[in-house]
Amino acid sequence: MAIATALTAALAVPVGVGVAGAVAAPAPLVSDSFTRTIGSGFGSAGTGGAYTATNPSATSVASGTGVFTLKPGVGAATVLRSVSATDVTASAKFTVPTLPTKGSGVYAALQARINGSSHYEAVVRFTSSKAMTLLVRRADGSASTMIVPEQRIATGITAGKAYTLEFSVTGSSPVALKARVIPAGSTAGAWQANGTDASAKRLTSGSLAVWGYLSKASTAATLKVDDLVATAGAAATTPTTPTTPTTTPSTTPTKPTAPTATPAPAPTTQPTAPATPTNPDTSAPPQTASNGVSTSGARHSVGSAAIGSTRYAVPSGAVFAAAGAAAGGNGTQAKPYATAQAAISAAPSGATVVLRGGTYHETVTVPFNKKLIIQSYPGEAVWFDGSQNWGNWSASGSTWVSGGYTYAFNNSPSYSGNLSDASRYIDPNYPMAATPDQVFIDGVSQRQVASRSAVTAGTFYADKSAKQLVLGSNPNGHSVRVSTLQEALRIQGAGTTVRGIGFERYATSAMQMGTITAQVPGITLENLAIVDNATIGLFAWSTDATLRNLTIARNGMLGFGGNSAYGLKASGLLVADNNSEHFKREPISGGFKITRSRGISITDSAFLRNATTGLWLDESVYDAAVTGNDFVSNGGDGVEAEISAHVTIADNVARDNAGNGIRLFDTSDSAVWNNTSVRNGRNIALMQDARRETDLSVPGHDPKRPQPDPTFSWIVQNVTVSNNVLADATGLAQLTVEDQGHKLSGADMHLTINGNLYQRTVANKPSIDIVWMQTTTATKGYATAAAFAAATGQDTRSTSVTGTGTLTSGLTLTSSALSQVTSIARSLPASVASLVGQPAGTLHLGSW
């Protein structure tokens, strides 16, 4: 990932770019240069009427600017209620005199079409790492909908410098929203955020406001606003960036670069005057981001609470550690140990270890036969960071070089540590994937290359023979961190709980299995952020693990791996942007993979934008429930069960995945109920190949690995597919039933496919609803469910619809589709109803 350029270069365009034949600008709806003195509130604008302040004590006007005096975790809005506009372009200059040194930073926004508790807003964030981000969203009471996800637009911003935020809201069906930031002294450039809102909740008109907010973990700060202008109509034409669809998440989610900072989200909404604003609930996972990772595409809150926001009770007798504390501590709160390992080693089994806020550059082990609770101190941010600051850079031609790099990490891509496995794991286009060296500039990962001559901006080379690092981007004036540790936490004490902590930037080799390894039974992990590690973020290989509200993101190979993890319970996870090093899909990569395990539950989680598969159950996963999850924009399948059995996949949304939305591969005795699968390559796929449990000579078997559980048939059979909504597949068909080994027909598989709704907006996209294995050697495509039913006896209650009107933009059923539910849907069986929290016998189509 290339480092962001300097702000002016990133945001400005050459002088002279403009519009030929420009006409005089319309009279402004609002014009305010703040040439007055007001002790509380903003008073009245020169044009636009009086402001109504939601937090009068936090706002004033002095020395020619409006002033927000912000306390941590508190926001304020000033609303121009006398102004009502439909199409409007607003702009204001924002200045932060002193940038925050910790926390997520200072937020400034322009709000438009304010109608009750709903409005649109463009939000710019000034971060503690001197970066700037921008997003556009719609607020609806206590929730928000991301129109354009938060994206980093610049680094190296300057305290005290004015930046003009411009926000355009036009149209009604859909509403077009655009935003950009223009540094003082620069010409307006392309729109950096560009999206639309076509939902039923879109707003048609309303008033205007200016809003400021300070993250809870930051110290008090000031935000100044000047030259507020709003005009009716669209903004003047300027060069534009490609439109960002409302469903496309940011590909470069931001996160705090300083590990001592407390990542905290912007609040999802701010009520407008005269209501008293509700401060964001930072004890719960945020709606718009989880520790800097975009949650766009998730139906509900997922991921860890912001690191530094949890407040777990501290029991009497707790053992304390504080990073960098004085030597000679005894583990009391007054005299804490200086390292986490010292506290863990000293704590008796059954004790609670409390870590004070700070950065722990350590590899720690919870020893065998010691059951501990390890948690952050209430309201303090604790990060384990495998990297350290790196300096002494000197220019060398077009690169920068620093010596003293003596690290030689194992670069095998496999668990065995065998370099000869590389061809199975490594995509030739990404030859450095398994080499775990990592460099970050201002928190942005630099891409590793294989030679000095290949170094360009945004890349680095680790010259092991010369013991040097070579950068392609100028490090001067920037924070450079280099990963020097490989493992963060080995949990070998059964029953241990770890909560409220972040783990980042470890140079983990694949053979080490994970930055965090849960090696013994009964481990609970809660509210952890596991991000930016070289290969595998977290691995569990024992029974009865509980994973609750974890953010597992941007790990190089795999977010989570599990094997023999019987009884695993996972909920509220955000598994996003993993396999960032682009390993091959097989044999292992992506978001979340579990093998050879039974009694698995994976619920209410989001698997987003992983480079390959989102969730993969493989090689003898038995009795698994996958319910209430979102599988969105993954580079492979959304969810796959392979060589497994007794898997229930219900009440999930799978959309915009490059592969299959839902795939069962050599998997038997399973149920696929009430899912909404939209715009995937194939929305649901039931696939068989030549492999059989009884014949290990068939291609596809790994002769180096032991035979999986012999109780599995390895055959797609006895599978039910009902009450699903399948729409607009981007590949050949909405649903496919295939045997690539040419041994079974569809009838041989004993499938029940019925009660589904097939929808395509355009008649030939796709032209086929169902592909069926007609004989053992030939498939046949059916354009509609009716044709399929007539030929096979399957899908007799199902319906095919061409055109719009089935699903809303939020993927819920329209009123016309709801009227068909009773004639299409099958009664929800008790076995599935108990998993999705619905009454047995319910008639419903798609996810809830």
Side-chain angles (χ1 to χ4, degrees):
M1 190 186 308
I3 184 173
T5 57
L7 181 67
T8 300
L11 302 184
V13 296
V15 175
V17 174
V19 182
V23 297
L29 298 169
V30 177
S31 179
D32 195 357
S33 57
F34 296 91
T35 55
R36 55 190 179 277
T37 300
I38 305 290
S40 177
F42 278 5
S44 295
T47 301
Y51 293 92
T52 301
T54 63
N55 188 355
S57 64
T59 54
S60 60
V61 181
S63 302
T65 62
V67 180
F68 292 91
T69 304
L70 300 172
K71 296 179 180 179
V74 178
T78 54
V79 187
L80 288 165
R81 289 210 167 275
S82 61
V83 176
S84 182
T86 300
D87 292 352
V88 65
T89 299
S91 65
K93 290 181 182 177
F94 290 102
T95 306
V96 179
T98 303
L99 292 172
T101 57
K102 63 178 183 177
S104 291
V106 177
Y107 297 76
L110 290 172
Q111 299 175 344
R113 294 194 183 181
I114 299 170
N115 190 338
S117 60
S118 298
H119 60 263
Y120 294 115
E121 61 184 2
V123 183
V124 62
R125 178 163 67 98
F126 302 83
T127 77
S128 56
S129 60
K130 298 183 180 179
M132 179 180 288
T133 70
L134 179 66
L135 65 84
V136 176
R137 62 189 173 195
R138 186 189 70 241
D140 299 300
S142 61
S144 68
T145 298
M146 195 65 64
I147 307 299
V148 183
E150 186 176 37
Q151 55 189 302
R152 179 176 292 183
I153 58 172
T155 59
I157 64 174
T158 304
K161 184 173 181 177
Y163 299 92
T164 296
L165 171 63
E166 189 172 3
F167 187 31
S168 171
V169 183
T170 59
S172 59
S173 184
V175 179
L177 301 110
K178 298 186 290 187
R180 60 187 170 193
V181 177
I182 308 161
S186 299
T187 305
W191 293 98
Q192 296 147 329
N194 204 325
T196 59
D197 183 11
S199 72
K201 292 185 177 181
R202 63 188 182 275
L203 305 172
T204 57
S205 65
S207 50
L208 303 171
V210 182
W211 172 76
Y213 171 78
L214 178 65
S215 75
K216 190 173 183 179
S218 298
T219 55
T222 299
L223 170 68
K224 294 185 177 181
V225 59
D226 199 3
D227 295 340
L228 174 63
V229 176
T231 57
T237 301
T238 59
T240 58
T241 55
T243 299
T244 303
T246 59
T247 57
T248 301
S250 167
T251 57
T252 56
T254 61
K255 68 183 288 292
T257 59
T260 55
T262 308
T268 56
T269 64
Q270 282 291 322
T272 55
T276 301
T278 301
N279 296 329
D281 179 8
T282 55
S283 65
Q287 294 285 346
T288 57
S290 176
N291 295 290
V293 181
S294 170
T295 61
S296 179
R299 286 175 289 170
H300 37 244
S301 294
V302 290
S304 170
I307 300 303
S309 69
T310 55
R311 294 186 174 275
Y312 296 110
V314 177
S316 175
V319 180
F320 289 83
N330 58 12
T332 62
Q333 186 166 355
K335 298 183 66 178
Y337 291 111
T339 66
Q341 186 64 70
I344 290 168
S345 298
S349 184
T352 297
V353 173
V354 177
L355 305 180
R356 299 304 302 264
T359 302
Y360 294 78
H361 184 65
E362 297 184 50
T363 297
V364 302
T365 299
V366 180
F368 289 103
N369 302 317
K370 185 178 283 191
K371 176 182 178 180
L372 299 176
I373 296 175
I374 303 170
Q375 66 188 43
S376 57
Y377 188 84
E380 294 186 355
V382 174
W383 284 90
F384 280 74
D385 192 337
S387 71
Q388 63 189 66
N389 287 317
W390 203 273
N392 298 318
W393 298 98
S394 59
S396 176
S398 61
T399 66
W400 288 261
V401 177
S402 179
Y405 189 74
T406 59
Y407 301 92
F409 306 123
N410 182 285
N411 63 345
S412 165
S414 72
Y415 297 156
S416 69
N418 187 350
L419 288 171
S420 65
D421 288 336
S423 62
R424 295 182 61 221
Y425 291 81
I426 302 300
D427 182 334
N429 294 315
Y430 301 93
M432 303 299 291
T435 307
D437 308 79
Q438 295 190 125
V439 176
F440 300 83
I441 299 180
D442 290 338
V444 178
S445 177
Q446 307 296 286
R447 181 172 59 86
Q448 187 173 9
V449 295
S451 67
R452 282 180 179 259
S453 61
V455 175
T456 58
T459 70
F460 77 97
Y461 172 60
D463 189 333
K464 305 298 176 65
S465 60
K467 297 181 172 58
Q468 291 180 330
L469 287 173
V470 184
L471 291 186
S473 297
N474 188 346
N476 295 319
H478 299 279
S479 168
V480 179
R481 297 192 68 88
V482 174
S483 295
T484 57
L485 296 179
Q486 292 202 276
E487 297 175 271
L489 176 62
R490 308 182 192 103
I491 308 175
Q492 299 172 348
T496 289
T497 295
V498 184
R499 56 194 188 185
I501 299 170
F503 300 85
E504 64 179 346
R505 298 190 286 225
Y506 281 79
T508 310
S509 295
M511 63 176 293
Q512 293 168 315
M513 304 295 284
T515 299
I516 301 173
T517 50
Q519 305 178 16
V520 287
I523 290 171
T524 297
L525 305 179
E526 177 181 279
N527 282 321
L528 306 182
I530 307 167
V531 296
D532 292 319
N533 302 296
T535 54
I536 304 170
L538 168 65
F539 205 103
W541 60 76
S542 194
T543 61
D544 298 319
T546 298
L547 312 179
R548 185 184 303 120
N549 295 114
L550 308 182
T551 295
I552 307 174
R554 296 191 299 264
N555 297 290
M557 181 184 199
L558 181 68
F560 170 85
N563 184 61
S564 299
Y566 285 45
L568 176 78
K569 301 289 186 292
S571 62
L573 307 185
L574 172 60
V575 182
D577 305 304
N578 294 292
N579 192 16
S580 57
E581 291 293 335
H582 300 281
F583 285 79
K584 285 182 177 179
R585 176 188 175 275
E586 296 175 334
I588 178 171
S589 70
F592 192 109
K593 184 172 185 181
I594 188 165
T595 56
R596 305 185 187 190
S597 302
R598 294 186 174 222
I600 305 304
S601 173
I602 301 170
T603 63
D604 299 329
S605 298
F607 302 81
L608 313 175
R609 305 179 304 276
N610 299 287
T612 43
T613 302
L615 170 62
W616 190 357
L617 312 180
D618 191 18
E619 286 193 4
S620 304
V621 174
Y622 185 96
D623 186 23
V626 179
T627 61
N629 303 290
D630 299 304
F631 304 99
V632 179
S633 298
N634 295 288
D637 295 341
V639 54
E640 176 182 2
E642 181 177 4
I643 312 179
S644 296
H646 290 272
V647 177
T648 299
I649 300 175
D651 186 28
N652 302 286
V653 170
R655 67 170 176 84
D656 301 301
N657 298 289
N660 305 286
I662 299 168
R663 176 160 74 157
L664 270 61
F665 196 5
D666 294 359
T667 292
S668 67
D669 303 287
S670 295
V672 181
W673 282 81
N674 286 98
N675 301 284
T676 299
S677 193
V678 178
R679 297 188 301 271
N680 306 288
R682 287 171 292 193
N683 287 321
I684 296 179
L686 308 181
M687 296 180 63
Q688 182 66 47
D689 64 10
R691 292 177 294 176
R692 294 293 188 274
E693 182 274 328
T694 55
D695 184 3
L696 298 183
S697 66
V698 173
H701 279 290
D702 182 351
K704 298 178 182 179
R705 305 188 69 176
Q707 179 177 337
D709 190 329
T711 62
F712 290 77
S713 70
W714 295 32
I715 297 173
V716 172
Q717 59 184 358
N718 303 325
V719 175
T720 299
V721 179
S722 289
N723 293 5
N724 302 284
V725 176
L726 298 86
D728 292 330
T730 59
L732 174 65
Q734 311 269 27
L735 182 148
T736 61
V737 176
E738 300 176 81
D739 181 7
Q740 299 168 340
H742 301 297
K743 301 291 185 182
L744 301 172
S745 69
D748 295 332
M749 296 180 188
H750 304 295
L751 308 176
T752 300
I753 303 173
N754 203 8
N756 302 293
L757 175 59
Y758 302 90
Q759 188 268 337
R760 50 180 176 260
T761 304
V762 179
N764 62 348
K765 293 184 179 181
S767 59
I768 297 171
D769 273 344
I770 301 103
V771 168
W772 180 250
M773 201 74 196
Q774 188 176 29
T775 67
T776 58
T777 58
T779 59
K780 181 175 177 61
Y782 296 92
T784 65
F788 179 52
T792 66
Q794 300 276 1
D795 260 337
T796 56
R797 294 177 62 89
S798 300
T799 296
S800 295
V801 176
T802 299
T804 59
T806 298
L807 291 170
T808 69
S809 60
L811 300 186
T812 58
L813 294 179
T814 61
S815 57
S816 61
L818 285 170
S819 68
Q820 302 181 69
V821 167
T822 56
S823 62
I824 300 173
R826 299 177 65 206
S827 295
L828 189 67
S831 59
V832 178
S834 63
L835 296 175
V836 299
Q838 299 292 332
T842 296
L843 295 178
H844 185 78
L845 291 174
S847 59
W848 279 272

